[in-house]
Amino acid sequence: MFLILAINPGSTSTKISVFEDKKALFTETLRHSVSELSQYKTIFEQLEFRENAILEMLHRKNFSMEKLNAIVGRGGLLKPIKSGTYIVNERMISDLKEAKRGEHASNLGGIIAYELAKNHGIPAFIVDPVVVDELDDVARITGIPEIQKSSIFHALNQKAIGRRLSSDLKKKYEDVNLIIAHLGGGISVGAHRHGYVIDVNDALNGEGPFSPERAGGLPSLELVRLCYSGKYTLEEMKKKILGGGGLVAHFNTNDVKEVYRMIENGNKSAELILDAMAYKTAKEIGAMAVALNDKVDAIGITGGIAYNEDFVKRISSRVNFIAPVYVYPGEDEMQALAEGAYRVLSGEEEAKVYE
């Protein structure tokens, strides 16, 4: 039996769970007010504040850190790496502190795990950060030599669902070809070939379907014209693509339920835009079937929007000719983190080293 503490820092919260092997004993979400966080200039400066909040909560739960076998944190914006569970080392800590690849609350996951674990002589891990890169070389090439495709996607949940779907097929993840579509604020669709994501749309930087908050793929020349129109600054254009695109741009909401309410009230535009989002997602799934040479064992649909049966049907009705469709609503990141640590502790998998 292994006791594992999982830590997932968000922009205004820190979620923690304690697991006994792969079973959650308890989960708590610590909320951080804007006023509390505004005193810190960088994400890294929040380290002590968030550590203390975690320790105070564990004290209130009468849980002793001495019982733990490992601590696992959400992986941050590191350099591109293969998937798996990584032991947190000084090299990783340095890259997370410097935040060369961007400031994000998830950068604190590995650092907090490391700081807490070293005081108790136990290992600290991260699992499948968003920078997991297993792309085939051919998938990286674009028509502009100065631009190469990046791999940034919902790796933690996609990998977890890949294993879960494989198990439901009574097969090993390493023996199947899957297409996994994560439907959240951003939408990522990955081609999983024998345990590796050989192609996936860069959901952060503007590839693939538009989503509740992101613009997705756009006609390049029209985008360039808009950039040089003089109407928008660089930061405003970034916002139009990330955070202010998709459903937010069309309806000023990122809530799919709200768009459905518009449809119920007779809004024909809402019906068309929502169906277009499903259509674009289905097209991306079709593209990933090509990446897998049409050898697809199953399609998995996951993420928060997957709770909406109608939206899932709009996608599945267009792609079920490719392979059977399985639906796994939500994204249980804490479970995925704990399972990654457990695979190492139990000897099922060897921890990777960040270099």
Side-chain angles (χ1 to χ4, degrees):
M1 185 192 74
F2 300 104
L3 284 177
I4 302 164
L5 171 63
I7 301 171
N8 187 356
S11 57
T12 59
S13 67
T14 305
K15 192 171 185 178
I16 72 168
S17 296
V18 171
F19 285 80
E20 183 180 277
D21 291 343
K22 294 184 282 187
K23 178 185 177 183
L25 299 181
F26 63 84
T27 297
E28 296 285 342
T29 300
L30 310 176
R31 305 291 180 185
H32 313 307
S33 69
V34 174
S35 60
E36 285 177 314
L37 297 179
S38 62
Q39 60 186 303
Y40 305 107
K41 294 180 181 179
T42 67
I43 294 291
F44 178 65
E45 288 180 4
Q46 299 174 14
L47 175 62
E48 186 176 356
F49 166 75
R50 297 213 191 208
E51 273 188 24
N52 289 337
I54 292 170
L55 292 173
E56 288 172 10
M57 191 284 297
L58 291 175
H59 180 72
R60 290 196 301 272
K61 301 286 287 188
N62 292 318
F63 182 84
S64 171
M65 294 279 288
E66 302 297 331
K67 299 178 181 178
L68 291 173
N69 298 100
I71 302 177
V72 58
R74 180 72 186 270
L77 296 173
L78 297 160
K79 66 182 181 181
I81 56 177
K82 298 295 184 184
S83 67
T85 299
Y86 285 76
I87 191 156
V88 182
N89 57 19
E90 291 288 350
R91 179 67 179 271
M92 183 186 294
I93 293 296
S94 177
D95 283 0
L96 291 171
K97 285 180 180 179
E98 292 180 21
K100 290 180 179 178
R101 295 165 182 86
E103 285 271 0
H104 194 274
S106 62
N107 288 357
L108 283 174
I111 300 174
I112 294 173
Y114 182 80
E115 292 295 324
L116 294 178
K118 73 179 183 181
N119 294 329
H120 297 278
I122 56 177
F125 303 112
I126 65 164
V127 181
D128 292 332
V130 295
V131 294
V132 164
D133 186 344
E134 301 169 331
L135 299 184
D136 278 352
D137 287 341
V138 69
R140 302 180 189 280
I141 307 302
T142 76
I144 298 180
E146 296 91 337
I147 298 176
Q148 190 176 79
K149 176 187 174 75
S150 299
S151 177
I152 301 178
F153 68 110
H154 304 92
L156 183 63
N157 192 46
Q158 283 219 22
K159 287 284 184 176
I161 294 303
R163 293 184 182 92
R164 183 174 169 187
L165 176 49
S166 301
S167 177
D168 288 345
L169 294 173
K170 301 188 184 325
K171 296 180 179 180
K172 293 182 178 180
Y173 177 49
E174 294 76 17
D175 294 336
V176 295
N177 289 339
L178 307 171
I179 299 171
I180 308 291
H182 177 106
L183 314 180
I187 293 175
S188 65
V189 182
H192 297 235
R193 183 182 66 202
H194 296 170
Y196 296 96
V197 180
I198 60 160
D199 203 350
V200 63
N201 63 296
D202 184 344
L204 180 63
N205 289 319
E207 277 194 319
F210 71 84
S211 70
E213 299 177 353
R214 298 173 190 177
L218 299 165
S220 302
L221 200 54
E222 291 302 314
L223 178 60
V224 170
R225 287 195 179 106
L226 196 59
C227 290
Y228 282 87
S229 67
K231 296 180 181 179
Y232 306 102
T233 65
L234 173 61
E235 291 305 315
E236 287 171 336
M237 284 304 303
K238 286 182 179 178
K239 185 67 175 178
K240 288 179 78 68
I241 293 171
L242 301 173
L247 297 185
V248 172
H250 285 286
F251 305 113
N252 199 33
T253 181
N254 64 358
D255 188 349
V256 172
K257 293 179 182 178
E258 179 61 28
V259 178
Y260 269 99
R261 283 191 284 270
M262 294 178 191
I263 294 171
E264 291 170 1
N265 290 330
N267 188 324
K268 298 296 184 182
S269 175
E271 174 77 34
L272 177 61
I273 299 302
L274 192 77
D275 200 44
M277 190 166 81
Y279 168 74
K280 299 281 188 181
T281 304
K283 274 183 64 177
E284 196 70 21
I285 290 173
M288 293 307 160
V290 172
L292 293 170
N293 290 323
D294 196 28
K295 297 174 182 176
V296 185
D297 292 286
I299 297 166
I301 298 179
T302 183
I305 303 176
Y307 283 108
N308 189 297
E309 294 181 5
D310 177 79
F311 191 77
V312 170
K313 185 177 179 180
R314 290 171 189 254
I315 297 171
S316 61
S317 64
R318 290 182 167 107
V319 301
N320 56 18
F321 73 94
I322 298 172
V325 177
Y326 293 73
V327 183
Y328 303 93
E331 49 177 308
D332 199 342
E333 295 173 336
M334 307 308 283
Q335 185 75 36
L337 288 172
E339 288 179 0
Y342 177 79
R343 287 193 296 273
V344 170
L345 293 173
S346 63
E348 179 183 337
E349 183 180 303
E350 188 173 342
K352 290 183 169 66
V353 178
Y354 183 78
E355 298 176 346

